Amino acid sequence: TQLLEQSPQFLSIQEGENLTVYCNSSSVFSSLQWYRQEPGEGPVLLVTVVTGGEVKKLKRLTFQFGDARKDSSLHITAAQPGDTGLYLCAGPLGTASKLTFGTGTRLQVTL
Amino acid sequence: DAEITQSPRHKITETGRQVTLACHQTWNHNNMFWYRQDLGHGLRLIHYSYGVQDTNKGEVSDGYSVSRSNTEDLPLTLESAASSQTSVYFCASSRLAGGHAAYNEQFFGPGTRLTVL
């Protein structure tokens, strides 16, 4: 059973469209991270959100941490082909340094 | 520049053979992790280490082992490869041993694609 469920699993959109992907859990997390993975490479950290209700912006990407710290969302404005990849959310297991990862959302942005 | 490397990048082996995947990091990180990635499952933790001589089982550790004799390396061994172990394997490292996990970014290697026939 995955602690973190992501939706949708797959998303194919055209350049210029907006989109939102979700990361949900029944458990409370002290923080959540978002990673992006491009084909043939390992995941790379995009952002960490640590406070309930927090919103962080990274250029066209907006990340939000739910008030109850059980969910997070990633919104991309005016998607570009370079945004194509697998988006993974991850949260720490207790106070340990290990993470549990979500199931991932595979995004394809076409011209 | 510091980095984390994995070798080989691709490996084909036969059922029953022992296979070792290498992971080497020059970040001088205490924490190292091995994951497998399969469609529909995201990343699942196999084994992890918080320092030299420390190893711990993750959620999918059956059939795998690791050893940590120095800070830089955490090789993953498949004792007797099975077709169910066909997957892409990722090694990762992070700086903190405990502390505030909010700042515990994991740095990933490029992955090893393993096929067990």
Side-chain angles (χ1 to χ4, degrees):
Chain A
T1 305
Q2 300 272 165
L3 280 176
L4 291 168
E5 294 287 343
Q6 292 186 239
S7 62
Q9 284 191 0
F10 302 97
L11 194 54
S12 181
I13 62 171
Q14 291 189 320
E15 184 179 18
E17 292 184 17
N18 301 331
L19 67 116
T20 303
V21 300
Y22 300 92
C23 174
N24 295 295
S25 177
S26 57
S27 301
V28 174
F29 283 88
S30 58
S31 63
L32 280 178
Q33 298 180 334
W34 284 92
Y35 289 78
R36 179 167 66 204
Q37 183 181 11
E38 299 187 14
E41 300 181 7
V44 176
L45 180 69
L46 295 173
V47 78
T48 302
V49 285
V50 300
T51 305
E54 180 178 5
V55 176
K56 279 192 173 178
K57 291 192 175 183
L58 190 66
K59 296 184 181 178
R60 295 176 294 100
L61 278 60
T62 302
F63 303 85
Q64 186 162 8
F65 199 12
D67 291 341
R69 292 187 285 124
K70 290 183 177 182
D71 56 87
S72 182
S73 63
L74 158 59
H75 181 79
I76 301 179
T77 304
Q80 298 178 358
D83 296 326
T84 293
L86 177 68
Y87 289 82
L88 294 158
C89 63
L93 291 172
T95 57
S97 299
K98 58 182 180 176
L99 298 172
T100 185
F101 282 82
T103 47
T105 293
R106 191 167 298 278
L107 172 65
Q108 182 170 11
V109 182
T110 56
L111 294 171
Chain B
D1 286 346
E3 61 178 355
I4 179 166
T5 57
Q6 293 183 236
S7 61
R9 293 295 312 277
H10 302 271
K11 174 78 175 177
I12 299 175
T13 191
E14 295 177 342
T15 301
R17 289 190 180 266
Q18 184 181 78
V19 176
T20 297
L21 308 183
C23 174
H24 180 80
Q25 54 98 1
T26 58
W27 292 97
N28 198 33
H29 284 164
N30 288 325
N31 304 336
M32 295 185 73
F33 308 86
W34 273 105
Y35 297 90
R36 60 178 289 173
Q37 187 172 42
D38 306 285
L39 272 177
H41 291 281
L43 288 165
R44 291 184 290 175
L45 185 63
I46 304 171
H47 281 286
Y48 59 101
S49 169
Y50 289 151
V52 176
Q53 301 302 330
D54 176 74
T55 61
N56 306 279
K57 293 181 179 180
E59 63 179 304
V60 290
S61 60
D62 287 349
Y64 303 93
S65 64
V66 293
S67 61
R68 186 90 180 270
S69 58
N70 58 52
T71 300
E72 296 80 17
D73 299 289
L74 187 70
L76 177 71
T77 297
L78 286 68
E79 304 294 344
S80 177
S83 57
S84 60
Q85 294 176 309
T86 292
S87 186
V88 181
Y89 291 86
F90 286 96
C91 179
S93 69
S94 68
R95 180 169 53 89
L96 295 178
H100 201 317
Y103 303 101
N104 202 4
E105 175 181 1
Q106 290 195 9
F107 295 84
F108 284 81
T112 294
R113 183 174 295 276
L114 176 67
T115 302
V116 183
L117 300 175

